[in-house]
Amino acid sequence: MREFEFEIAARRVVFGPGSRHRLAEEINTLGSQRILIIADPSQSSTAKEIAQQLGTSCVGTYDRVTAHVPIETAEAGRDRVRELDADCYLTIGGGSAIGLAKAIALEIENPIVAIPTTYAGSEMTPIWGLTEGQVKRTGRAARVLPRLVIYDPELTASLPPQVAGPSGMNAMAHCVEALYAENANPVMSLLAEDGIRALAIALPRVVAHPEDIDAQSQALYGAWLGGLTLASVGMALHHKLCHVLGGTFNTPHAETHALMLPYVTAFNLGSAPDAERRLTAALGSSAVAGALRDLGQAVGAPESLRALGLAESDLQRAAELVTQAPYYNPRQVTTENIRELLQDAYTGARPRA
Ligand code: NAD
């Protein structure tokens, strides 16, 4: 067995259908008196229900949530916090709502409580992101890690299937890359493997029957494990590629993850035997990259980079950006081999074994 180091950020998680109704009792332990709700616009009725539950401890609701946290939105949110003298940020929404709370907390430190409504996993991480001009900066700060996370599978049931599927594949990507992380460790690999198993079973079910709360629970459990692994071990080529594609070519976050994962998995497997063994067990197939491709296509991943709006002439630039400042990866990356991988994703070819 290889040597390893292990660290985990201990935070409270409450998981189960209807668990949002326990919020008032749970939040008491934080001692917050002036809670600001930061809600995705799709969650306005849940935000009202929660505000009622909190009574006078809720000082307002802020819903200017947009993708990738533009600095202007973060600054407007910080102004609102000062105006209301808020002492806690309660998010109801996906990665964009949680990202906004993190950007606010970066400057005005207060505990964050998250009620996630997608599978992106940001609620488990100390990773923040802020977009200024065309450039998205990211970083890590302990103060932005949510102190309490309430996973209520009844809330993901309203996700439209075309959002749910790619969002679940985003969680899958966290789990897959955790298996071959530079600082991988046996405990996180166990969690990642179980996350992959849960997501592979649950995603086709939640896309076909969003009202199936048992399937939603399993998908959200996989999402939780995805977030936990993303927070705990380093990510590799897949996350770097998605960062470049989203940041430079403006491709949508979850859809880019869903499309690229099988190609990167095919690229890395020969250099990551333990990951291959665990993926084979979790997916119930030894043709791992093909199984991920089939799963992605079944749950609404885009067909190709071409379908996401990239031009073939963009591929060389993307390959250069990936290799200029590469993340750790189990297989060595070169501009040539990444250009080849991107070509396959561009045409939507079946990932090479
Ligand atoms: P999102 O939060 O932007 O939500 C996607 C869409 O789904 C939005 O239109 C939203 O209104 C809608 N929506 C959300 N929940 C819904 C529900 N239950 N029912 C109906 N509609 C709903 O997308 P996301 O994929 O959750 O998050 C993406 C963002 O999060 C990106 O900016 C990404 O970089 C960031 N992210 C950060 C981390 C981290 O650790 N910091 C991890 C993952 C993602």
Side-chain angles (χ1 to χ4, degrees), residues 103-295:
I104 294 172
L106 209 49
E107 196 169 295
I108 311 175
E109 185 172 355
N110 276 314
I112 298 176
V113 174
I115 306 184
T117 65
T118 70
Y119 311 122
S122 177
E123 66 282 353
M124 292 312 296
T125 84
I127 304 167
W128 55 266
L130 260 175
T131 305
E132 206 163 350
Q134 298 288 71
V135 183
K136 183 165 179 179
R137 286 184 298 129
T138 60
R140 281 180 177 254
R143 74 171 80 162
V144 309
L145 178 69
R147 293 265 290 273
L148 167 66
V149 179
I150 299 205
Y151 284 107
D152 187 338
E154 289 175 3
L155 296 179
T156 46
S158 59
L159 275 172
Q162 68 276 15
V163 179
S167 179
M169 292 303 287
N170 185 193
M172 178 75 91
H174 305 329
C175 294
V176 171
E177 290 235 293
L179 294 178
Y180 51 67
E182 185 173 24
N183 55 348
N185 66 67
V187 174
M188 280 302 144
S189 294
L190 268 180
L191 299 187
E193 184 181 331
D194 211 38
I196 293 163
R197 188 175 289 113
L199 289 163
I201 294 169
L203 294 183
R205 290 175 64 198
V206 299
V207 165
H209 299 287
E211 73 291 352
D212 179 344
I213 297 302
D214 187 47
Q216 290 291 353
S217 297
Q218 204 169 18
L220 207 50
Y221 166 71
W224 170 44
L225 297 183
L228 201 50
T229 56
L230 171 66
S232 309
V233 296
M235 296 287 117
L237 173 64
H238 173 78
H239 280 72
K240 175 72 190 185
L241 257 171
C242 293
H243 196 85
V244 164
L245 291 168
T248 309
F249 303 98
N250 213 17
T251 59
H253 177 80
E255 287 80 358
T256 307
H257 276 273
L259 168 67
M260 295 308 297
L261 184 62
Y263 295 103
V264 180
T265 306
F267 180 90
N268 275 334
L269 272 196
S271 310
D274 183 59
E276 181 166 20
R277 183 181 61 75
R278 289 183 184 276
L279 273 159
T280 300
L283 295 171
S285 164
S286 56
V288 164
L292 286 173
R293 169 82 179 168
D294 293 341
L295 176 66

Side-chain angles (χ1 to χ4, degrees), residues 35-39 47 50-51 54 58 60-63 88 90-92:
I35 300 158
L36 175 67
I37 296 179
I38 297 176
I50 299 263
L54 293 174
C58 174
T61 300
Y62 186 73
D63 69 356
C88 175
L90 166 62
T91 73
I92 308 169

